Amino acid sequence: MSIETTIHRALNFSAGPAVLPLSVLEQIRDELLCLPDVGSSILEISHRSGPFGEILEDATSRLRRVYSIPDDYEILLLQGGAVLQNTMVPANLLIEKNQTADYILTGAWGQKSSRDVQYFGKLNVAWDGANEGFVRLPQSDELKFSPHPAYVHYTSNETIHGVQFQTPLSVNQAPLVCDSSSDILSRPLDISRFGLIYACAQKNCGIAGITIVIIRKDLLQRSGDRLPLYLDYAKHAAANSMANTPSTFGVYVLGLVCRWLEETIGGLDQMQSINEQKARMLYQRIDDSAGFYVGHARPADRSRMNVVFTLANRELEPAFLQQAMSAGMISLKGHRSLGGIRASIYNAMPVEGVQTLAEFMQDFAEKNG
Ligand code: PMP
């Protein structure tokens, strides 16, 4: 006897963990009991097994191909989230305690990243947007770099404040380190501009429990012999990301998402144009609302991943969220530190989903304006 279930999936605007491509979820479902030709589930096989070796190789080579990662960069698949990178970056890249790292603070995540530097060296805040409420990016002449920073860190997309750099920061004096957690794989990127890029996976590349680190190989030397096993990039690189048991399921899902990007979307140029189209729809709705909706970020610095706004009449926000939910749209509530509304429209959110939200916004404004 077969049991029929009707599955109604909501439009999920969560900031992360976030929506996955439906075809990826379907493949996970179809293969969950038994990977083809393996006889066991991905949840059950050893990370040292041949089949998992192939899954790891497939995921990293797809990631390298889709992002055009040059050969002189290592790809590490770690655990501990992007937050552990707040520790690992200064631990590895500051060789001595009297060295300085420069941080550009364009939102809450950059602020959080900068706090761990004190354990390993000196922090220079090259720019801080906190006093203005993190509504904009700095102009290049506002950046106050230290004379010889060991590296320069910035956050390409601030998930809470909805502020995003559209091109890599221009820095010549030191390796550039980027937290790309909430915009990784959302557009083409010249990886050679960076010393190190890191990102948690649960927004654009799969599920929580796996963190991607792309590091230029010469920087692996900086840690020397100082660090315990798990904190040392060089040891992870030498062990091919298997210094301990990796998130086997996370690696598998990363591979499926990269395959979807390559084969269904057609690569990062296409992904970028889809993402721009989605963001345009929502920002246009905000800008055409005669002040009913108020965007958080300065228009030039707006994120294409997290659209952050309030209603001019803040008392209407609970009704907005409630009615959106009744119409099948979930997780639109802004971060607890900022309130308001946040629509996260990562790679896997389809254009039609954003269209539905844009129409709802227009309708809500007409009825309540
Ligand atoms: N950096 C950014 C930009 C993020 O959005 C997040 C998660 N929302 C993190 C870091 C932290 O990631 P995790 O919780 O996986 O450590």
Side-chain angles (χ1 to χ4, degrees):
M1 191 176 80
S2 72
I3 300 170
E4 272 195 25
T5 46
T6 306
I7 299 172
H8 182 72
R9 283 173 51 79
L11 290 170
N12 178 3
F13 293 92
S14 168
V19 60
L20 284 164
L22 185 57
S23 61
V24 166
L25 287 173
E26 285 170 343
Q27 187 169 348
I28 294 169
R29 178 198 60 196
D30 292 347
E31 295 181 348
L32 193 63
L33 290 184
C34 198
L35 282 168
D37 305 321
V38 174
S40 268
S41 168
I42 177 64
L43 302 177
E44 302 168 308
I45 60 172
S46 165
H47 62 298
R48 302 281 173 204
S49 65
F52 182 72
E54 284 171 27
I55 286 168
L56 178 66
E57 169 57 27
D58 180 67
T60 48
S61 58
R62 281 186 191 278
L63 181 61
R64 192 177 287 281
R65 200 161 55 231
V66 84
Y67 231 175
S68 304
I69 299 174
D71 288 343
D72 58 335
Y73 285 75
E74 197 76 52
I75 299 171
L76 308 177
L77 303 179
L78 309 181
Q79 301 190 56
V83 163
L84 183 59
Q85 295 311 307
N86 296 343
T87 309
M88 287 180 73
V89 166
N92 283 264
L93 300 190
L94 289 168
I95 297 174
E96 291 171 3
K97 270 222 151 189
N98 64 2
Q99 282 190 309
T100 302
D102 286 4
Y103 277 64
I104 295 160
L105 312 188
T106 53
W109 288 107
Q111 206 171 38
K112 194 165 184 173
S113 296
S114 70
R115 290 193 190 120
D116 278 10
V117 174
Q118 59 180 311
Y119 301 107
F120 307 98
K122 294 182 184 151
L123 168 68
N124 172 56
V125 174
W127 189 78
D128 186 355
N131 288 342
E132 296 174 45
F134 293 127
V135 294
R136 70 174 181 98
L137 301 174
Q139 306 293 326
S140 53
D141 61 359
E142 294 179 286
L143 297 171
K144 303 284 182 263
F145 293 116
S146 61
H148 302 291
Y151 64 92
V152 175
H153 178 285
Y154 78 112
T155 311
S156 51
N157 183 65
E158 280 287 351
T159 321
I160 295 173
H161 292 90
V163 173
Q164 185 182 29
F165 286 83
Q166 295 310 331
T167 52
L169 191 75
S170 229
V171 167
N172 300 319
Q173 60 270 55
L176 186 59
V177 175
C178 178
D179 176 358
S180 183
S181 289
S182 51
D183 65 359
I184 189 169
L185 293 174
S186 66
R187 56 191 175 185
L189 195 64
D190 179 0
I191 303 289
S192 70
R193 299 276 298 275
F194 298 87
L196 191 158
I197 300 173
Y198 64 90
C200 54
Q202 66 267 21
K203 298 157 196 302
N204 262 346
C205 350
I207 58 167
I210 179 169
T211 311
I212 296 162
V213 174
I214 303 166
I215 179 168
R216 213 176 58 214
K217 285 182 181 166
D218 62 288
L219 294 174
L220 295 171
Q221 311 310 322
R222 283 207 194 177
S223 56
D225 254 349
R226 301 188 313 278
L227 296 176
L229 169 66
Y230 205 88
L231 293 186
D232 190 337
Y233 290 132
K235 295 192 180 102
H236 286 292
N240 191 27
S241 297
M242 298 234 278
N244 74 328
T245 312
S247 166
T248 47
F249 190 57
V251 173
Y252 162 76
V253 178
L254 170 68
L256 297 186
V257 170
C258 287
R259 182 169 155 201
W260 169 82
L261 262 174
E262 283 189 296
E263 295 176 8
T264 306
I265 298 298
L268 290 183
D269 286 318
Q270 285 83 347
M271 194 71 257
Q272 178 177 32
S273 82
I274 293 168
N275 284 332
E276 284 175 358
Q277 184 191 356
K278 290 186 294 185
R280 228 177 2 252
M281 276 189 220
L282 295 187
Y283 287 121
Q284 209 148 43
R285 198 52 68 219
I286 292 169
D287 293 341
D288 291 350
S289 73
F292 186 85
Y293 298 112
V294 183
H296 177 76
R298 182 171 77 172
D301 301 329
R302 284 168 164 173
S303 167
R304 287 160 189 171
M305 297 279 100
N306 310 97
V307 178
V308 176
F309 59 99
T310 53
L311 273 62
N313 178 357
R314 304 291 303 260
E315 287 177 6
L316 285 172
E317 284 172 7
F320 179 96
L321 292 168
Q322 184 55 51
Q323 288 175 34
M325 185 143 49
S326 304
M329 287 168 276
I330 61 170
S331 293
L332 281 163
K333 195 167 194 272
H335 188 267
R336 59 190 181 280
S337 63
L338 208 60
I341 314 293
R342 171 172 56 174
S344 297
I345 50 173
Y346 299 123
N347 286 356
M349 169 55 68
V351 174
E352 300 73 35
V354 177
Q355 179 75 41
T356 303
L357 174 58
E359 284 164 12
F360 170 80
M361 286 170 67
Q362 175 150 14
D363 191 49
F364 189 87
E366 279 167 9
K367 288 189 181 127
N368 296 280

